[in-house]
Amino acid sequence: MTNYLEFEKPLAEIEGKAEELRALARANEEMDVEAEASALDKKAETLLSELYTDMTAWRKCQVARHPDRPHCRDYIEALFDEYTPLAGDRNFADDHAVMGGLARIGDIPVVVMGQEKGHDTKSRIERNFGMARPEGYRKAIRLMDLADRFGLPIVALVDTPGAYPGKGAEERGQSEAIARATERSLNVKSPVVSVIIGEGGSGGAVALATANTVMMLEHSIYSVISPEGCASILWKDAEKMREAAEALRLTAQDLKELGVIDRIITEPVGGAQRGRDETIAAVGRALEVELKALMKQAKGDALLKARREKFLKMGSKGLAA
Amino acid sequence: MNWISNYVRPRINSLFSRREVPENLWTKCNKCGTMLFHRELAENLNVCTSCDHHMAITPRERFGALFDGGIFTEVEVPAPVDDPLSFKDQKKYPDRMKTARKGTGEREAMLVAEGEIGRTPIVAAAQDFSFMGGSMGMYVGNAIIAAAERAVQTRRPLVLFSAAGGARMQEGILSLMQMPRTTVAVQMLKEAGLPYIVVLTHPTTGGVTASYAMLGDVHIAEPNALICFAGPRVIEQTIREKLPEGFQRAEYLLDHGMLDRVTHRRDMKDELVTILRMLTGQPPAVKGDLPAPEMVEETPVEAPADPAEKAEKA
């Protein structure tokens, strides 16, 4: 069962018709519908590639949040060997919105971490929809400490609507935890690579995306505020999210042009949710290339300095109007 | 450097930067409702004389009261690209900027200055909530970096007064990038062994709290200041319950271990001097109002008396 997005409705109709025809044919052996059905398939294919060409920012937001997109856990399972989860912030709790531990990618031992949104109701609740509490950021800090101490590269997979806006989270210092996590990643001597695989939601994302190399999947987003939030503040109308999404320049393509990210990883036609394995493999290849490149430069605090320098310089140019 | 550039020019500057006396000489305290005479209010650093409510104060007014004799030199902040995203909501971003500049007489939402407090040389940066909610964009990032660089260069501590609704949405992702950028600035200070004190004022929220405002060596807040990551309204919508009285206010944060102190604006200067002199290994300060540097015989300039009602709008 495919979960169609709102803008994919015409596609759903065509694919539905083709499916119906084939079902009819299965029930009645004398019917020959294959020609008609393949014509519909073809039409669907063309439409899909049209829908995914020059997408508006709001459509990208929908794709980035698609429930069938591969999530952090899927990448870790598929790309890493000997994944050994490490838990807890040694302070208050273990936050399931942030997962991470030791693992190997190829033969490189690394610390891998990321926000996990969950894939069904139960796991989504357990993962708090990928919205971390201070414990999650403090766990990330611990993992970074570990990586730094033993010279292991860090791979961070970013996928979060944002840090959790809850009472306990505030009481336990959400701001401080995020600030410290960002600070920690700017103090790490080993290579840090981040991939925004879905949603890069504001401060909750930045704490895991302060990396030497920041990559984004083609249809992922990274923004200071959600388009809905921005619309309700600046337009005083949350329904203006399309306009807000456009204005915020939150697509991978715009962010590349602004110099905020370093590389875009192409998704299959129809988005990562239609080609999960392909997408995961593409991320794996990009990670290996970037990690190897950074490991060559990792002498003393060269990478630490380069990371700080990169962020200091960021924003010196705008987008061409 | 001579006394003209050190003393006379900033003095002239601060004279010119004084705004006109407002027509409305009375300000209503937005907490207890008492009508306050503007001069009395300004003399009390925009703190209500009746209920001690801390109203907004502009960076210029604050610096006027903070630095010895009201004398300070502005530190130049490199100008960022204007309107990097060509952002337009219901208004164009450049138009919003124009309105903010006209309304405040300031260039942007942060003022950086150097001078002496209790004869202790410091660099100070203050965020201006009256300028687009003090929001953090490229300029504020540049200001904090400039402040840190200046502090490192002159081996002075940095005192930062935060006040912001968060990141400046009109600069999109670039405003978010000020979180790591300003963190690098804080790291420069730490690595140079210089104290970095944050004074959190009302309100300090969002990405500002989640970066430089929570990375100080010492955190001091003004009474009743709202300090949070997510605002109370967002939280109430998320958890669908009423929040306790005083939630996310300075005293609440003090109780929850996020702050070192909550200090009345009137006592802030002395407290900063005391702390900074200990941290930098200097002898205790001479208490009370110090005369202006001895080479000039004139009396020190008073804190610029600014229209309190303008500040209150914030």
Side-chain angles (χ1 to χ4, degrees):
Chain A
M1 218 342 254
T2 321
N3 284 313
Y4 290 99
L5 293 167
E6 183 198 314
F7 72 91
E8 295 172 341
K9 269 196 186 128
L11 181 72
E13 272 172 35
I14 299 171
E15 289 189 342
K17 263 187 212 156
E19 182 59 35
E20 254 174 56
L21 275 177
R22 291 205 170 95
L24 269 175
R26 273 196 297 277
N28 184 350
E29 275 177 30
E30 275 150 46
M31 273 179 81
D32 182 17
V33 295
E34 205 35 52
E36 217 177 316
S38 0
L40 283 171
D41 284 350
K42 200 138 204 179
K43 207 170 152 194
E45 203 180 305
T46 321
L47 183 61
L48 182 69
S49 84
E50 274 170 24
L51 285 174
Y52 277 80
T53 313
D54 298 327
M55 285 166 79
T56 63
W58 176 243
R59 285 187 179 180
K60 288 217 184 237
C61 295
Q62 291 171 285
V63 176
R65 294 167 177 172
H66 197 292
D68 298 338
R69 262 178 105 77
H71 288 160
C72 181
R73 196 189 64 146
D74 304 312
Y75 288 96
I76 292 181
E77 270 177 13
L79 295 174
F80 294 81
D81 296 320
E82 296 181 26
Y83 173 57
T84 311
L86 300 174
D89 68 344
R90 299 296 184 274
N91 188 32
F92 181 77
D94 181 41
D95 188 340
H96 300 293
V98 175
M99 61 186 296
L102 292 163
R104 284 178 196 272
I105 181 162
D107 14 315
I108 315 168
V110 300
V111 161
V112 59
M113 59 186 184
Q115 292 107 341
E116 168 59 44
K117 286 181 167 180
H119 56 276
D120 55 20
T121 309
K122 190 170 167 257
S123 61
R124 278 182 198 125
I125 290 169
E126 190 197 324
R127 303 285 188 182
N128 201 28
F129 302 86
M131 292 183 284
R133 296 180 167 91
E135 299 78 69
Y137 297 107
R138 293 189 178 124
K139 173 153 100 183
I141 293 171
R142 268 197 59 228
L143 291 173
M144 290 190 262
D145 285 342
L146 188 74
D148 200 23
R149 206 160 111 71
F150 296 99
L152 302 180
I154 297 171
V155 175
L157 303 170
V158 178
D159 192 13
T160 179
Y164 184 61
K167 181 166 167 277
E170 289 288 320
E171 283 172 342
R172 296 192 298 276
Q174 188 71 291
S175 319
E176 197 260 0
I178 293 173
R180 294 270 170 223
T182 314
E183 187 190 37
R184 189 67 189 92
S185 45
L186 286 162
N187 269 334
V188 172
K189 289 198 183 76
S190 41
V192 187
V193 179
S194 289
V195 190
I196 295 158
I197 53 173
E199 252 184 303
S202 194
V206 96
L208 267 69
T210 309
N212 292 96
T213 307
V214 180
M215 301 187 270
M216 273 179 89
L217 276 176
E218 189 184 349
H219 303 309
S220 61
I221 56 166
Y222 188 15
S223 179
V224 65
I225 187 169
S226 72
E228 295 90 338
C230 178
S232 75
I233 297 172
L234 290 181
W235 277 264
K236 320 265 177 236
D237 178 4
E239 289 301 308
K240 296 278 187 215
M241 66 264 183
R242 286 171 190 80
E243 288 86 341
E246 216 56 60
L248 281 167
R249 309 288 188 153
L250 42 66
T251 67
Q253 293 68 31
D254 279 342
L255 298 184
K256 176 81 172 46
E257 203 185 322
L258 276 167
V260 169
I261 63 156
D262 304 289
R263 176 172 173 171
I264 297 175
I265 304 171
T266 314
E267 291 183 31
V269 177
Q273 72 275 18
R274 283 196 176 76
R276 292 167 57 96
D277 296 343
E278 238 177 299
T279 308
I280 292 173
V283 168
R285 284 192 300 273
L287 275 176
E288 280 197 51
V289 172
E290 297 300 335
L291 276 176
K292 279 184 183 146
L294 287 174
M295 283 165 78
K296 272 189 208 141
Q297 304 164 39
K299 284 192 193 77
D301 53 6
L303 286 175
L304 179 153
K305 281 193 176 139
R307 201 177 310 126
R308 290 185 187 179
E309 211 44 49
K310 167 186 158 165
F311 281 94
L312 276 183
K313 283 199 185 120
M314 205 170 271
S316 47
K317 61 166 192 168
L319 281 177
Chain B
M1 290 286 238
N2 56 34
W3 70 277
I4 294 185
S5 67
N6 277 337
Y7 181 68
V8 177
R9 200 177 294 153
R11 214 201 124 178
I12 292 172
N13 285 347
S14 71
L15 278 175
F16 278 114
S17 66
R18 282 196 204 191
R19 267 171 263 150
E20 284 165 27
V21 176
E23 284 169 26
N24 186 354
L25 299 178
W26 297 87
T27 299
K28 194 172 165 183
C29 170
N30 45 14
K31 192 160 187 207
C32 70
T34 309
M35 294 303 286
L36 303 157
F37 186 54
H38 78 99
R39 191 159 294 157
E40 208 180 338
L41 185 62
E43 266 165 28
N44 205 33
L45 305 171
N46 285 3
V47 176
C48 174
T49 47
S50 155
C51 74
D52 259 354
H53 175 57
H54 284 54
M55 293 182 228
I57 182 168
T58 65
R60 225 168 265 283
E61 291 172 290
R62 189 186 287 278
F63 285 174
L66 177 74
F67 287 104
D68 296 343
I71 297 158
F72 58 89
T73 315
E74 277 186 48
V75 172
E76 204 188 318
V77 176
V81 180
D82 282 329
D83 192 16
L85 308 184
S86 309
F87 193 96
K88 185 172 174 270
D89 50 85
Q90 288 173 313
K91 273 188 202 162
K92 282 184 183 160
Y93 179 35
D95 293 341
R96 283 191 192 263
M97 282 293 275
K98 251 181 241 157
T99 314
R101 283 190 175 142
K102 226 173 149 188
T104 57
E106 294 292 345
R107 185 172 155 211
E108 253 280 6
M110 188 169 263
L111 188 65
V112 184
E114 55 188 330
E116 293 188 359
I117 63 168
R119 289 285 154 83
T120 318
I122 65 158
V123 175
Q127 222 158 348
D128 192 344
F129 191 72
S130 62
F131 194 105
M132 292 185 79
S135 52
M136 166 179 72
M138 279 297 290
Y139 186 92
V140 168
N142 284 359
I144 294 172
I145 293 166
E149 283 175 345
R150 187 69 190 150
V152 171
Q153 195 184 20
T154 54
R155 306 272 329 142
R156 293 175 179 211
L158 175 62
V159 179
L160 188 142
F161 298 85
S162 66
R168 185 166 299 168
M169 281 176 283
Q170 291 87 347
E171 293 184 18
I173 193 79
L174 293 180
S175 65
L176 190 67
M177 290 303 116
Q178 303 318 308
M179 292 173 64
R181 281 186 94 218
T182 55
T183 305
V184 176
V186 175
Q187 283 170 328
M188 291 178 193
L189 293 165
K190 293 198 173 164
E191 277 162 24
L194 297 167
Y196 168 52
I197 311 247
V198 188
V199 179
L200 297 101
T201 75
H202 179 77
T204 298
T205 71
V208 169
T209 325
S211 55
Y212 57 87
M214 274 290 151
L215 294 172
D217 293 305
V218 178
H219 294 166
I220 310 175
E222 288 190 340
N224 202 38
L226 176 75
I227 302 161
C228 58
F229 179 65
R233 214 158 32 99
V234 177
I235 297 174
E236 281 185 335
Q237 279 164 10
T238 311
I239 62 171
R240 292 172 204 286
E241 58 179 275
K242 214 76 196 110
L243 293 164
E245 179 71 25
F247 184 66
Q248 297 179 321
R249 296 290 170 168
E251 296 72 13
Y252 196 90
L253 266 85
L254 184 70
D255 272 351
H256 284 81
M258 290 301 137
L259 301 173
D260 292 289
R261 306 179 57 80
V262 175
T263 302
H264 196 288
R265 196 175 284 162
R266 172 189 60 223
D267 306 323
M268 194 64 81
K269 176 177 176 171
D270 285 347
E271 190 162 307
L272 286 169
V273 172
T274 307
I275 293 172
L276 286 174
R277 293 187 74 89
M278 284 196 265
L279 289 177
T280 53
Q282 296 177 72
V286 181
K287 295 278 180 200
D289 284 335
L290 287 163
E294 54 279 314
M295 59 239 191
V296 183
E297 287 170 4
E298 291 162 90
T299 45
V301 186
E302 268 178 58
D306 227 55
E309 47 124 70
K310 213 160 221 170
E312 201 203 0
K313 257 190 244 159

